[in-house]
Amino acid sequence: MSPFIFALVLVAAFLHASWNVVVKISADRFHAMYLLQVLMGVMGLGMLMVFPFPLAAAWPYVIASGLLHTGYNVFLARSYKHGDLGLVYPVARGTAPLLTLIGTQIFAQDVISSIAKAGIITLIIGIWLIALSADVFKAHRATFIYALITSLFIGCYTVVDGLGGRVAGDASGYTGLLFVLDGAFMLVAGYFYGGMDIIAAVLPKWKAGLFGGIMSGLAYWIVIWAMASAPIAAVAALRETSILFALAFSARLLKEPMSWRRVAGVFCVVAGAVALHG
């Protein structure tokens, strides 16, 4: 992985943790996810005006990803309804890099060095150390289940988008179409969640939604672009360094507790990231 891609994915990691804080502090997490995704759909329309429309070979990928992202959004919102950021975020992100690594070994032709594989495993261990420090198994059972299901969606859509971005002809055009579909699918999900009243409910929060939508959109745009030219599993694992930023936010802004396991997990995450950079 080149230093430029490495640095950009770290920026994406920071942005990803930031928009999760926006969702966590919202009074209604589903409303926050709904507004964020709809505004990202508007962002996607703008991107399609600038970048080439993806080739037909990418359309099945982008449709599948749009459906997977909708499931991800619903279960992430439910996770934050029951659990702290310092619990939900590590569990939701913890299994995804391993699932992505397995998926890319099956469906892609990526060549990953032994050092990079070791870095991915070390990073996953660090994330789970952080998750265990939050007494994940003692928490509300629904929190753990929802966060784990969220992780499954993450692993699936990451593989799909990595492959889709490569066959689209232009990764940015693929991202724009994905954002449009994500927004459209979320509109449908929102209708089943709260009917037409959901629009009136979220409009007063449009500023927070716009802020979160821009951060979320930029974060995943960077990731899809990076996966088009670098090993998908390596990019996906490096993105999960966002847990470092999430921990800082949870401790500083949300006053959630720290522990020695979290500190040990941080060292593992940093070591894994260094291995991926090498």
Side-chain angles (χ1 to χ4, degrees):
M1 187 183 301
S2 71
F4 180 67
I5 292 177
F6 183 86
L8 274 183
V9 176
L10 287 181
V11 172
F14 172 78
L15 293 172
H16 192 279
S18 299
W19 75 255
N20 272 261
V21 173
V22 172
V23 173
K24 173 58 185 175
I25 63 178
S26 300
D28 189 305
R29 278 76 181 194
F30 183 82
H31 283 176
M33 293 297 300
Y34 175 87
L35 185 58
L36 184 149
Q37 290 297 323
V38 171
L39 291 174
M40 281 178 62
V42 177
M43 177 180 173
L45 288 173
M47 293 172 67
L48 289 176
M49 295 178 185
V50 177
F51 300 104
F53 199 83
L55 301 176
W59 296 354
Y61 292 97
V62 76
I63 293 172
S65 179
L67 293 171
L68 289 168
H69 271 88
T70 301
Y72 160 76
N73 291 327
V74 170
F75 278 97
L76 181 64
R78 291 191 176 190
S79 300
Y80 282 138
K81 181 179 180 180
H82 296 288
D84 292 341
L85 176 71
L87 165 61
V88 172
Y89 199 92
V91 173
R93 311 307 303 188
T95 312
L98 180 59
L99 295 174
T100 302
L101 177 60
I102 295 171
T104 54
Q105 296 303 296
I106 297 173
F107 298 107
Q109 303 299 318
D110 287 351
V111 177
I112 302 177
S113 68
S114 298
I115 294 177
K117 288 181 180 178
I120 293 172
I121 299 301
T122 303
L123 197 149
I124 293 170
I125 291 172
I127 291 173
W128 274 98
L129 277 172
I130 294 167
L132 290 171
S133 73
D135 291 328
V136 60
F137 298 112
K138 296 179 182 178
H140 195 289
R141 182 175 298 179
T143 301
F144 178 72
I145 293 174
Y146 289 145
L148 194 58
I149 294 174
T150 301
S151 187
L152 295 176
F153 279 111
I154 294 168
C156 291
Y157 75 60
T158 300
V159 174
V160 170
D161 287 334
L163 298 175
R166 291 178 177 180
V167 301
D170 186 273
S172 296
Y174 175 91
T175 305
L177 181 57
L178 173 62
F179 288 173
V180 171
L181 287 182
D182 281 352
F185 290 150
M186 202 61 178
L187 281 172
V188 175
Y191 176 78
F192 284 103
Y193 178 84
M196 295 303 296
D197 293 339
I198 192 172
I199 297 178
V202 301
L203 279 179
K205 310 163 189 172
W206 70 269
K207 291 183 180 180
L210 181 62
F211 182 60
I214 290 174
M215 289 191 295
S216 179
L218 286 176
Y220 205 52
W221 184 3
I222 291 171
V223 168
I224 293 179
W225 175 86
M227 291 191 298
S229 55
I232 296 171
V235 173
L238 182 60
R239 176 184 58 178
E240 305 313 342
T241 55
S242 58
I243 185 61
L244 302 179
F245 302 112
L247 279 180
F249 292 147
S250 70
R252 181 75 174 179
L253 301 179
L254 306 179
K255 309 303 181 183
E256 296 175 4
M258 292 290 288
S259 70
W260 70 266
R261 283 194 184 93
R262 289 192 176 188
V263 175
V266 166
F267 277 107
C268 286
V269 169
V270 172
V274 171
L276 287 173
H277 181 244

